[in-house]
Amino acid sequence: MGKLTDRTARSVGPGKHADGDGLYLAVSPAGGRKWVLRYQMDGRRRDMGLGPYPETSLAAARMAALSARTKIAQGVDPLAAREEARKASRPIPTFADIAKDVIAEAQARTSNAKVAYQWERHLGPAYCGPLLARPVNEITTSDVAAVLKPVWRSKPEVARKLYPAIRRVFESARIVLRDQHGLPIDNPARWDDLKALGFSAPTQLSRGRHPSLPYEQMAAFTAALRQRDAIASRLLEFLILTNVRTGTALNAEWREFDLDARVWTIPPSKLKDKKHRKEPFRIPLAPRAVELLKELEAVRVSRFVFPSATGKPLSTMAMLVLLKRMNSGETKWIDPANDGKPIVPHGFRATFRTWCEEVARFPHAVVEEAMGHVVGTSVERAYRRTDVLEQRRHLMEQWAAHCEPRSADNVLKFQKSGGGTA
């Protein structure tokens, strides 16, 4: 027989009141009452809550205590067993549930809108549709392979990003199921298992080179480019003259330019290598680049230098559409060294780099700085105190001169009334 009765359980004051065999009624100074079983397991004292009183009656508390003591006699910790039972009762998250958290975490770590969009697209219905509604512990390697196969060979650039994204979802799922559900699972996207199903090594999935124009054709291309009265054509010529990456040019803001000094100062947050580059990146502007900017400033409608109709930056598609239209005529702007593929905006960086190697003959550090690359080892960078701006100015002026059409005949001037985007 226990020491407590329902009457005493209702009336006793604050403190711990023993019923026997480790069962206590704990009464708080405010009058709250709850049942606690005190026991030892592996030399440690533990207190296990059995519920509040009177919601949990004295009889129910004694039955719960008896059940717990039975487990203890069998060498099972009742608190651990209860936690395992709680984990097992929780609904298993779906692939979509885990992917949502992975996407949010990845997007929080990037300022690149394209990268943020790609995480959402790759782990969404477009590619992972068959996996989204399924509990993650039920998805097999064969299921993952079925999602990857349609793009593995035909779209290697998609596969190169899709596979690590899927693998990250299952790595996250492995931890969630272990810690919150007590379920150990393997990662069904393990590379060894996929390789056993016939997938080629990731190193064989190449992005390929961006199709670029031979530097010998730059003057003719610039002449053709200036025939198009469109904001996209100004953007592409500016991109060529500054040799920056596409996203950097698209997001250029007027406040970043000093046209008198002929310098564009790009904040680190807009740079691809912002992890290594803590200082703003200065771009020397060739006279033609300044001329373009002044023409655009005269019809300025946004804080962005190259705005769309909404005032936001143009999309990358504007330049791609422009190049497609330029390739619709008799003259084809293609990369003969890349299976004759039509050129793309980013390819002009390769054109510039090749011209530097074969024609310009500037020091390697100057060229690499002009490419926006990290120059030297970490030790060398620690002692380096110059961005070789003036040397790069001479380089970019020579590049602009190389790109200048040999004749100004039929070159369309920028109209203040504006035109289309391409």
Side-chain angles (χ1 to χ4, degrees), residues 214-237:
Y215 66 82
E216 296 89 347
Q217 298 181 35
M218 283 306 303
F221 177 81
T222 303
L225 184 61
R226 292 184 190 174
Q227 295 296 323
R228 296 187 172 265
D229 184 16
I231 188 69
S233 62
R234 271 61 186 181
L235 168 60
L236 183 54
E237 185 175 359

Side-chain angles (χ1 to χ4, degrees), residues 134 139 158 168 218 229 267 289 313 322 324 374 401:
R134 298 185 58 185
I139 298 173
V158 171
R168 185 180 295 188
M218 283 306 303
D229 184 16
L322 168 68
K324 184 176 181 180
V374 174

Side-chain angles (χ1 to χ4, degrees), residues 147-163:
V147 167
L148 293 173
K149 278 181 179 177
V151 299
W152 199 258
R153 297 290 182 189
S154 62
K155 298 179 180 179
E157 175 61 10
V158 171
R160 189 181 69 86
K161 297 176 181 177
L162 177 61
Y163 169 61

Side-chain angles (χ1 to χ4, degrees), residues 263-281:
V263 172
W264 175 18
T265 304
I266 307 171
S269 60
K270 290 187 176 182
L271 300 172
K272 182 178 181 180
D273 62 341
K274 53 182 170 287
K275 290 184 178 179
H276 302 287
R277 193 185 293 274
K278 303 305 180 184
E279 299 295 327
F281 183 39

Side-chain angles (χ1 to χ4, degrees), residues 144-372:
V144 174
V147 167
L148 293 173
K149 278 181 179 177
V151 299
W152 199 258
R153 297 290 182 189
S154 62
K155 298 179 180 179
E157 175 61 10
V158 171
R160 189 181 69 86
K161 297 176 181 177
L162 177 61
Y163 169 61
I166 291 176
R167 186 177 59 196
R168 185 180 295 188
V169 170
F170 287 110
E171 281 300 308
S172 180
R174 183 178 60 82
I175 297 171
V176 170
L177 263 63
R178 181 196 68 194
D179 294 352
Q180 298 182 17
H181 300 269
L183 293 176
I185 67 164
D186 198 5
N187 187 336
R190 288 178 65 248
W191 175 243
D192 286 345
D193 293 339
L194 288 170
K195 187 165 63 173
L197 293 178
F199 283 77
S200 56
T203 54
Q204 297 176 16
L205 293 174
S206 171
R207 308 179 54 164
R209 298 183 302 172
H210 292 278
S212 60
L213 193 68
Y215 66 82
E216 296 89 347
Q217 298 181 35
M218 283 306 303
F221 177 81
T222 303
L225 184 61
R226 292 184 190 174
Q227 295 296 323
R228 296 187 172 265
D229 184 16
I231 188 69
S233 62
R234 271 61 186 181
L235 168 60
L236 183 54
E237 185 175 359
F238 179 79
L239 181 80
I240 292 169
L241 293 172
T242 54
N243 193 47
V244 296
R245 293 178 174 86
T246 306
T248 305
L250 286 169
N251 291 282
E253 298 181 53
W254 286 110
R255 63 182 179 178
E256 298 165 0
F257 291 88
D258 184 339
L259 297 185
D260 293 330
R262 294 189 296 138
V263 172
W264 175 18
T265 304
I266 307 171
S269 60
K270 290 187 176 182
L271 300 172
K272 182 178 181 180
D273 62 341
K274 53 182 170 287
K275 290 184 178 179
H276 302 287
R277 193 185 293 274
K278 303 305 180 184
E279 299 295 327
F281 183 39
R282 297 191 298 169
I283 302 287
L285 300 172
R288 172 58 184 167
V290 174
E291 180 184 344
L292 275 172
L293 290 169
K294 287 183 176 179
E295 290 174 351
L296 290 165
E297 190 175 33
V299 290
R300 175 177 174 178
V301 295
S302 167
R303 66 187 176 95
F304 296 104
V305 178
F306 302 99
S308 63
T310 64
K312 295 181 179 180
L314 284 176
S315 79
T316 306
M317 286 303 299
M319 288 187 288
L320 292 174
V321 170
L322 168 68
L323 288 172
K324 184 176 181 180
R325 290 176 179 173
M326 291 180 70
N327 266 323
S328 64
E330 293 183 4
T331 303
K332 302 298 182 184
W333 307 103
I334 62 174
D335 185 348
N338 198 353
D339 299 325
K341 293 179 181 177
I343 61 173
V344 296
H346 193 77
F348 285 102
R349 282 172 58 82
T351 303
F352 171 79
R353 191 66 176 81
T354 305
W355 173 81
C356 288
E357 289 290 333
E358 298 189 359
V359 178
R361 306 295 183 183
F362 273 70
H364 176 76
V366 175
V367 174
E368 286 299 286
E369 193 75 48
M371 294 295 297

